[in-house]
Amino acid sequence: MIPETKILFPDRTIRIQEKLAVLLAFIAGYTDATGLIQWKTYVSFMSGNTTQLGAAVFSEKYGIIFSSVIAISFFLAGIYTGTCLSLSRKFRSTKIIFYMVSGMMILYSITDYYEHMASGMSIAVIGFSMGLMNTIVTSVGKQKINTDFVTGTLNSLAKTAALFVMSDHADERKEYKVNVFHLLFLWIGFLSGALAAPFLLFYLENWTLIFPAALLIICALTIPIPTFKN
């Protein structure tokens, strides 16, 4: 049921949140697929790394244990850092995180091109940047989201669809219907990024992460990102 006390969001803010969420999901899917192809490790999908870690401990596959622990640790560090920045009074705009994530990807690409970086270091840098990016948008309107947690997105999508079908109230059904589309677009965004990664990786090779870095910069410069706190 929808609580009686509602937080009202301007339509413009919700539209911006939705655009940002889909774009960030696309970048997360793209980067995750790139990490899986290049380093056999998820850099934003920690459920997969946790499963791999558990199976690797039993089979004593120390390479997978190492990469999974690195990915999870630095992803958490990125979320911690991004959350601290979002709560800091010195940083009122989320644009700073756009530039930080983009800068890390660009710096990594240049360094890796001239001095090939070890897989552990690559996973650490990109995993941290994905954790940081995950804190930019955490909701669309009142619908809580996670731009790189596909299982959670699909779980929320199915539950919200069920609430839409079972509700007898017109206002509730309208809100549930809108949230279903928010979540569906989010999943499609992640899937689209994962589909694009192998194609662009073939052509861009070491420079493959320049593409999402450029998207982040363009987004920060063109989309009127409000100073809302998620």
Side-chain angles (χ1 to χ4, degrees), residues 48-135:
N49 286 329
T50 303
T51 302
Q52 285 194 141
L53 176 60
V57 169
F58 178 78
S59 57
E60 298 183 351
K61 294 181 178 179
Y62 298 108
I64 296 177
I65 293 174
F66 175 75
S67 61
S68 297
V69 169
I70 290 293
I72 294 170
S73 299
F74 280 86
F75 183 80
L76 290 175
I79 292 178
Y80 176 85
T81 303
T83 302
C84 288
L85 288 174
S86 70
L87 296 174
S88 173
R89 294 180 179 179
K90 295 181 180 180
F91 300 98
R92 298 296 298 174
S93 174
T94 54
K95 285 190 176 184
I96 185 65
I97 301 181
F98 279 87
Y99 295 130
M100 288 177 65
V101 175
S102 179
M104 281 188 285
M105 288 183 172
I106 292 172
L107 182 60
Y108 167 80
S109 299
I110 294 173
T111 304
D112 188 54
Y113 181 78
Y114 289 103
E115 297 289 339
H116 183 67
M117 295 181 67
S119 60
M121 182 61 70
S122 300
I123 293 168
V125 173
I126 304 305
F128 180 85
S129 68
M130 288 296 97
L132 194 60
M133 191 183 75
N134 192 51
T135 64

